[in-house]
Amino acid sequence: MTSNEAGVPHAAREDVNWRKDLISQLRERNKSQTNCFADLISLHNRLFENANTLRNANMQLTIANETLRREAANGAIGMGGNPDLEGRLLKQAEELAMLHKRKGEHTQQIVDLNNKLQAMTKEFQAKEISLAESLEANANLRLEINKCNGKEKELESINQMLKDEHQALQLAFASLEEKLRKTQEENRQLIERLIKYKARDAEKMNEENDNFLRKRQARMQKELEDAARDTRPVSPDRSSLTEGIAGLPTAVPTNVSVTFVC
């Protein structure tokens, strides 16, 4: 790449390449479509040259024939006394007839060639129109290609952005998942500690209840013993009180009165 090409934008290079391609196509078109007419044009030119040559020869023969006719009419040369003149006249008449015949043939050939040239010109014009339409369609397709390339680049950019966002979300999800695992582990450890604490509190509460019941039983037992040692007369009220105290249960509890479920 030259220094000039390095400084030209990509769009400008594409425009230059497109113009060069178009010029090359036009040159190839002209070359391919004019070569087929080369032989026809050359033959047409030769026929015109032959027709001009025959026209000049015909004119010269006509002039010579008229000159001979004038001389014969003026009596300068006798028709019956000069056989050479008659032969020349007949020969010139035959040559003139031949020239007229060849002129007619050449004229017909020229007409045929003109008709063929017109037909080929119409075909050439039709091809010109078709080529112009093809070039216009080609230009439109190039515009569509450029638009599609632009959209493709835009979609690639959006796709890359989505990939980056997806990767970032995956990293964030992995981080949150790790945090959730750690939080769940901490929660499990806290629950285990809480269960241990509650079990310890329940054991302590049961122990305190047992101590309370033992102390209560001991106090009641002492009150009963004191009442039994008392020898004073029992009043009706004291007797009912004693009976009421005697009716209290003295057995040690066998069941836990308070429990904690964790």
Side-chain angles (χ1 to χ4, degrees):
M1 181 181 293
T2 62
S3 60
N4 291 332
E5 291 179 351
V8 177
H10 181 67
R13 288 201 301 272
E14 286 187 353
D15 186 52
V16 172
N17 293 332
W18 178 76
R19 291 177 183 275
K20 288 182 178 179
D21 188 22
L22 178 59
I23 292 172
S24 177
Q25 290 181 10
L26 290 174
R27 287 176 178 173
E28 290 295 329
R29 190 278 313 272
N30 291 335
K31 183 178 178 181
S32 62
Q33 294 187 358
T34 55
N35 286 339
C36 62
F37 292 105
D39 295 337
L40 180 62
I41 294 172
S42 178
L43 179 60
H44 190 271
N45 292 333
R46 287 200 300 273
L47 287 175
F48 271 110
E49 291 176 357
N50 291 334
N52 290 329
T53 303
L54 291 174
R55 191 178 295 108
N56 293 330
N58 188 16
M59 187 177 296
Q60 292 176 1
L61 289 173
T62 302
I63 293 171
N65 191 16
E66 288 298 327
T67 302
L68 291 174
R69 288 182 184 278
R70 288 195 194 97
E71 291 177 354
N74 292 330
I77 301 174
M79 293 295 294
N82 195 344
D84 294 336
L85 180 59
E86 292 180 2
R88 288 174 60 191
L89 289 174
L90 290 175
K91 185 177 180 180
Q92 288 181 355
E94 290 175 357
E95 290 180 357
L96 183 61
M98 182 61 67
L99 288 173
H100 280 295
K101 182 179 179 182
R102 291 176 62 185
K103 180 181 178 182
E105 292 175 354
H106 289 167
T107 302
Q108 185 60 41
Q109 289 180 358
I110 290 172
V111 172
D112 294 339
L113 289 174
N114 284 329
N115 293 333
K116 188 175 181 180
L117 180 61
Q118 290 177 358
M120 297 187 74
T121 301
K122 291 181 180 179
E123 184 179 356
F124 179 76
Q125 291 175 350
K127 288 183 178 180
E128 285 278 349
I129 295 173
S130 177
L131 178 62
E133 293 175 352
S134 298
L135 290 175
E136 183 178 0
N138 189 17
N140 293 331
L141 289 174
R142 286 181 182 275
L143 292 176
E144 289 295 329
I145 290 173
N146 291 332
K147 291 180 181 179
C148 291
N149 288 332
K151 290 182 179 179
E152 183 180 5
K153 291 180 180 178
E154 182 180 357
L155 291 175
E156 287 178 354
S157 178
I158 294 174
N159 190 24
Q160 185 62 40
M161 182 179 65
L162 291 176
K163 286 182 178 179
D164 295 339
E165 290 181 356
H166 179 68
Q167 186 176 5
L169 289 174
Q170 281 185 332
L171 293 175
F173 177 76
S175 177
L176 291 174
E177 196 173 32
E178 181 65 20
K179 289 181 180 180
L180 176 62
R181 187 189 64 79
K182 291 181 179 179
T183 303
Q184 288 177 343
E185 180 64 21
E186 291 177 357
N187 188 32
R188 185 185 63 78
Q189 293 177 0
L190 290 174
I191 290 174
E192 289 179 354
R193 291 173 62 185
L194 180 62
I195 291 173
K196 291 180 180 179
Y197 290 151
K198 287 187 176 181
R200 191 179 302 170
D201 291 340
E203 290 177 357
K204 186 176 181 180
M205 182 66 69
N206 290 332
E207 185 179 354
E208 291 178 353
N209 288 335
D210 291 340
N211 292 330
F212 174 76
L213 291 175
R214 281 196 298 270
K215 289 179 179 179
R216 181 180 178 186
Q217 184 179 6
R219 186 175 66 251
M220 292 177 65
Q221 185 68 29
K222 186 175 181 301
E223 290 178 354
L224 290 174
E225 290 177 353
D226 291 341
R229 284 195 300 268
D230 190 3
T231 57
R232 290 178 297 177
V234 178
S235 65
D237 295 333
R238 185 176 182 85
S239 176
S240 61
L241 176 62
T242 304
E243 290 177 359
I245 294 174
L248 293 175
T250 60
V252 177
T254 58
N255 297 324
V256 178
S257 60
V258 178
T259 59
F260 293 91
V261 179
C262 297

